[in-house]
Amino acid sequence: MGAGKTTLGRLLAETMQLSFIDLDHFIENRYSKSVGQLFQERGEDEFRRIETNMLREVSLFENIVISTGGGTPVFYDNMTYMNRMGLTVYLRVSVKELANRLNKAKSGRPLIRDKSEEELEKFISETLSRREPVYLSSKRIFSAEELDSPTDIQSAVVNLLKCCEGHG
């Protein structure tokens, strides 16, 4: 959350003339409900099964960049599956920078909406410490630390293209 997966993924796909799919949006369109509603109505286990099924569906599309939710790689051997199906990239951002970004945009994120700055940083730190061992098995690790301006984002996409060279 807040690493820039959707922003960079969409720009990377556009630059490479590929299709782009945000997995959360794909799920929301399929079920006509927000991810938050699905979590609330069906629970996390059922949501993660839905997410895994949708990941497997979209991964069969050709010429595509997929942005997954932060939890997607962690469940049901999804990371192993993604590594087998294509090039995986972990957008690495420090806890402090993630907290800074998310603190500015937490109103639209139910999971963190009511957290103080201190609680938010603690939540990010705990979540990342559980998930990062899986993230680190990505084929590429890319620093997405500095994305404060359109110039930073454009530069990041150029660097991400270099990171992904030779992979379709």
Side-chain angles (χ1 to χ4, degrees):
M1 191 184 313
K5 296 180 301 291
T6 299
T7 300
L8 289 177
R10 183 175 282 121
L11 289 170
L12 179 66
E14 183 179 305
T15 303
M16 296 178 72
Q17 297 181 328
L18 302 172
S19 296
F20 174 77
I21 292 183
D22 179 295
L23 188 61
D24 283 347
H25 293 150
F26 187 85
I27 293 167
E28 290 174 343
N29 288 336
R30 175 68 56 89
Y31 285 83
S32 299
K33 294 182 180 192
S34 71
V35 167
Q37 288 173 307
L38 289 168
F39 250 87
Q40 189 174 41
E41 292 173 7
R42 298 181 182 223
E44 184 174 14
D45 288 343
E46 180 60 21
F47 173 77
R48 296 300 179 187
R49 278 191 283 280
I50 290 168
E51 179 181 58
T52 296
N53 291 336
M54 297 294 99
L55 172 67
R56 279 156 174 70
E57 181 178 328
V58 300
S59 69
L60 298 175
F61 298 171
E62 294 183 10
N63 303 316
I64 176 175
V65 172
I66 302 169
S67 171
T68 68
T72 307
V74 181
F75 294 89
Y76 299 107
D77 285 328
N78 285 339
M79 191 67 200
T80 301
Y81 177 80
M82 291 187 302
N83 277 330
R84 194 171 64 244
M85 295 302 289
L87 175 66
T88 52
V89 179
Y90 167 31
L91 300 179
R92 194 173 205 180
V93 181
S94 69
V95 170
K96 190 167 193 68
E97 178 59 23
L98 286 171
N100 181 46
R101 290 179 192 179
L102 291 171
N103 201 43
K104 295 175 186 173
K106 62 184 182 179
S107 63
R109 300 177 184 266
L111 201 56
I112 61 170
R113 180 181 302 143
D114 299 324
K115 294 191 182 312
S116 68
E117 287 183 38
E118 185 177 287
E119 291 169 328
L120 179 61
E121 198 163 322
K122 182 177 186 230
F123 170 79
I124 293 167
S125 179
E126 290 172 353
T127 303
L128 194 55
S129 69
R130 284 191 316 271
R131 292 178 176 182
E132 192 166 45
V134 175
Y135 295 167
L136 290 171
S137 68
S138 296
K139 291 181 181 177
R140 300 282 189 276
I141 298 170
F142 181 80
S143 175
E145 189 75 13
E146 296 179 21
L147 298 176
D148 292 332
S149 70
T151 303
D152 293 338
I153 293 169
Q154 185 177 22
S155 177
V157 170
V158 168
N159 290 329
L160 193 51
L161 279 167
K162 291 175 188 173
C163 171
C164 298
E165 278 181 353
H167 292 86

